Amino acid sequence: MKKILITTDFSDNAWNAIFTALKIYTEVDCHFYLLHAYEPTPLNLMGSKSQQRLGVIYDSLSKHSIEELEEVLSYLKINHKNPKHQFTTLSKPGNLEDSVEAVLNENDIDILIMGTQGATGAKEIFLGSNTVKVLNLIKSIPILVVPTGFNFQSLKTLLFATDFSAPYKKNLFDSIIELTKIWNASIEVVHVAIEFNLNDHQEAHKEVLKERLSGFDIKFKNIPFQINTSKSIDTYTEDKDDSFLAILRHQHTFWEKVIGEAVVKKIAFHSKIPVLFLPQ
């Protein structure tokens, strides 16, 4: 049975991530873990003069967290009657990234799914910071980030963005292959560059990629560089509502310029389609 962790703060975009996950894996036996992590905000802590006061705050947050998760579970039991799906709710004190890491270790999770709220300019500092922190910490499993307002209907194409500069580990493409099989989707390998002449190492890595994905409907597409890599990808994916974008998180390459916080702000925040961050 596939084990899927979904984080929630009970917002609309968190609900959208849940609904997207349920639709993606409609025909798959799944155990969904719904996680809410809570900790006092700086405003809560202002004027907190004692450990006792802090305990009261945590008790209140814990009660609210459990009640909200029970409402989510009740809704799903009434409105989502899929015998292939089962649910467990998890309420944890502390920050989200540490809570996620703990749940991964405790439950052998296969994939993490999160919603994120798009933002521009200075708002990026405040919105989606939890998504940034989780992506920076959790690198051992694939993470699917679902943009706010995305209405999942079908998956026809998985877009894998790469520059062929790093080797591809044997099991790197497992999540891509799984989604491709579930939805009978095609795979499109997109390469963003100013020039598309590959060196010997890139050619060798490309051949390995072909071998890893042999047997699937796979195409290669060169995307001209526009301002930066993320802008180039954004432009290319504008009209691809039935696609997911998959990207690597390897280091010391051209992609390093958009990996980490930058990739969240420039791709995850701004992407109109879900982004699958492959494990490192």
Side-chain angles (χ1 to χ4, degrees):
M1 177 173 286
K2 190 170 187 65
K3 294 184 176 182
I4 300 172
L5 175 60
I6 308 175
T7 61
T8 180
D9 59 2
F10 315 116
S11 63
D12 288 345
N13 53 303
W15 271 108
N16 190 47
I18 293 173
F19 293 145
T20 300
L22 299 181
K23 287 188 280 188
I24 291 172
Y25 296 103
T26 298
E27 299 301 327
V28 179
D29 291 321
C30 294
H31 189 161
F32 293 96
Y33 295 81
L34 307 177
L35 169 67
H36 177 245
Y38 59 89
E39 60 179 342
T41 64
L43 186 61
N44 292 143
L45 295 175
M46 287 179 64
S48 178
K49 297 181 179 179
S50 67
Q51 194 69 27
Q52 183 179 4
R53 168 61 179 163
L54 185 59
V56 170
I57 293 173
Y58 266 107
D59 286 345
S60 176
L61 292 172
S62 174
K63 182 179 179 181
H64 173 75
S65 176
I66 292 171
E67 288 175 349
E68 290 289 330
L69 283 170
E70 287 177 350
E71 288 191 20
V72 171
L73 191 58
S74 176
Y75 176 89
L76 292 173
K77 285 181 178 179
I78 295 171
N79 297 282
H80 182 73
K81 296 179 179 179
N82 186 338
K84 293 180 177 292
H85 293 171
Q86 65 185 66
F87 301 92
T88 295
T89 57
L90 300 168
S91 176
K92 286 188 172 291
N95 62 54
L96 181 61
E97 62 271 24
D98 290 340
S99 299
V100 166
E101 187 174 40
V103 173
L104 297 186
N105 294 332
E106 294 164 4
N107 298 281
D108 193 27
I109 299 297
D110 295 304
I111 186 171
L112 168 63
I113 298 179
M114 306 178 68
T116 190
Q117 189 168 1
T120 57
K123 289 183 179 180
E124 288 184 352
I125 298 172
F126 305 102
L127 296 178
S129 59
N130 281 333
T131 306
V132 174
K133 292 174 182 176
V134 171
L135 282 166
N136 285 339
L137 178 65
I138 307 300
K139 300 179 181 180
S140 59
I141 64 169
I143 300 176
L144 182 67
V145 176
V146 181
T148 185
F150 177 76
N151 183 18
F152 179 81
Q153 297 298 322
S154 66
L155 177 59
K156 294 183 179 178
T157 309
L158 269 156
L159 307 171
F160 173 52
T162 183
D163 63 357
F164 309 108
S165 62
Y168 304 108
K169 295 186 298 184
K170 190 173 184 63
N171 299 317
L172 177 69
F173 299 111
D174 285 356
S175 53
I176 289 180
I177 290 171
E178 180 189 43
L179 289 169
T180 299
K181 288 180 177 179
I182 292 172
W183 287 92
N184 193 29
S186 62
I187 299 172
E188 189 170 302
V189 179
V190 296
H191 178 202
V192 178
I194 298 174
E195 296 182 0
F196 298 101
N197 296 322
L198 303 183
N199 60 36
D200 291 343
H201 289 294
Q202 287 174 305
E203 288 287 2
H205 295 153
K206 184 175 181 179
E207 290 305 311
V208 171
L209 184 151
K210 290 178 180 179
E211 182 180 344
R212 297 272 192 258
L213 298 175
S214 63
F216 296 94
D217 180 8
I218 180 172
K219 298 176 182 177
F220 291 84
K221 177 72 175 182
N222 290 333
I223 301 177
F225 183 84
Q226 298 181 27
I227 304 175
N228 55 51
T229 305
S230 58
K231 175 62 177 176
S232 307
I233 293 174
D234 286 344
T235 301
Y236 185 70
T237 61
E238 276 180 351
D239 60 348
K240 296 186 180 294
D241 295 336
D242 53 6
S243 302
F244 288 1
L245 172 65
I247 62 174
L248 290 165
R249 293 193 284 180
H250 56 63
Q251 303 296 314
H252 311 302
T253 70
F254 177 75
W255 278 97
E256 195 170 84
K257 298 176 183 177
V258 294
I259 292 300
E261 255 188 86
V263 78
V264 174
K265 292 179 180 178
K266 293 182 178 179
I267 295 181
F269 279 166
H270 301 155
S271 178
K272 299 298 188 294
I273 61 175
V275 181
L276 179 66
F277 294 85
L278 299 178
Q280 195 165 292

